[in-house]
Amino acid sequence: MPRAYLSVGSNIEREYHVRSALKALRERFGELIVSRVFESEAVGFAGDDFFNLVVGFDSDASVFDVVAGLRDIELAHSRDRRAPRFSSRTLDLDLLLYGDLVMDEQGIRLPRDEISRYAFVLGPLAEIAGDMRNPLDGRRFADMWREFDQAGQAMRPVEIDIT
């Protein structure tokens, strides 16, 4: 059974939406592996800071069914998918990895390129899946994180109850 990893982000009522999203993900997909929550500045637009984390779970659902489930959870949290790509949001759930699957079809690209571009994605992913290897180049996520230039992308761990 493949393990899916997804990024979770919110900058509108952050704590509420992160907690609620984790509850909905558990109800839909079962037991979760959850990184710490990090606060980081908005990227690509001027907006409130985000809470970000990465979550993993095992699933025998198809990639398309997992993505559809994530969209359902976003919609239940009033996510407006018509809003500009770089804008504030109640909840953003992006599938990063689905086992070692490499694909680019029907709007789904795996692994997502955000893994290697953003500290708030790679850091939490390395925290919970550091020994896992990037299906594109075979590098361990812990090694990618160690080599990542974090100078321009500050993030801070946040203490919130996400159980």
Side-chain angles (χ1 to χ4, degrees), residues 2-3 5 10 16 24 26 29-30 48 52 55 58-61 68 70 75 79 88 100 104 109 133 139 143 146:
R3 178 159 291 164
Y5 288 95
S10 173
Y16 167 79
R26 285 184 183 103
F29 299 109
D48 293 335
N52 294 286
V55 173
D58 296 325
S59 179
D60 57 2
L70 299 180
L75 286 172
R79 169 72 189 270
S88 292
D100 60 1
D104 187 0
R109 175 176 278 172
R133 295 187 179 274
R139 294 186 318 163
D143 296 333
R146 208 172 5 268

Side-chain angles (χ1 to χ4, degrees), residues 142-155:
D143 296 333
M144 290 174 65
W145 179 236
R146 208 172 5 268
E147 297 164 6
F148 189 85
D149 179 10
Q150 301 172 37
Q153 296 185 28
M155 62 182 205

Side-chain angles (χ1 to χ4, degrees), residues 16-147:
Y16 167 79
H17 286 291
V18 165
R19 282 184 183 164
S20 182
L22 291 173
K23 181 178 186 279
L25 288 165
R26 285 184 183 103
E27 289 171 357
R28 185 138 193 165
F29 299 109
E31 186 177 337
L32 303 178
I33 301 163
V34 182
S35 76
R36 291 179 293 166
V37 177
F38 294 88
E39 184 176 44
S40 60
E41 293 179 359
V43 173
F45 69 100
D48 293 335
D49 289 352
F50 275 79
F51 279 178
N52 294 286
L53 64 150
V54 169
V55 173
F57 56 86
D58 296 325
S59 179
D60 57 2
S62 75
V63 169
F64 301 104
D65 289 341
V66 170
V67 170
L70 299 180
R71 296 301 165 253
D72 289 346
I73 293 169
E74 287 179 334
L75 286 172
H77 289 83
S78 302
R79 169 72 189 270
D80 181 2
R81 285 219 153 272
R82 296 167 298 168
R85 179 172 181 223
F86 293 106
S87 63
S88 292
R89 56 199 61 150
T90 56
L91 187 62
D92 188 22
L93 302 175
D94 291 322
L95 184 62
L96 303 171
L97 297 158
Y98 190 77
D100 60 1
L101 181 64
V102 175
M103 73 178 285
D104 187 0
E105 63 181 82
Q106 298 183 33
I108 301 171
R109 175 176 278 172
L110 295 174
R112 280 185 78 99
D113 64 350
E114 285 92 339
I115 293 170
S116 61
R117 291 191 357 225
Y118 299 123
F120 61 82
V121 176
L122 181 56
L125 179 62
E127 182 177 287
I128 63 172
D131 288 333
M132 189 173 168
R133 295 187 179 274
N134 186 326
L136 293 177
D137 61 17
R139 294 186 318 163
R140 292 176 51 242
F141 292 116
D143 296 333
M144 290 174 65
W145 179 236
R146 208 172 5 268
E147 297 164 6

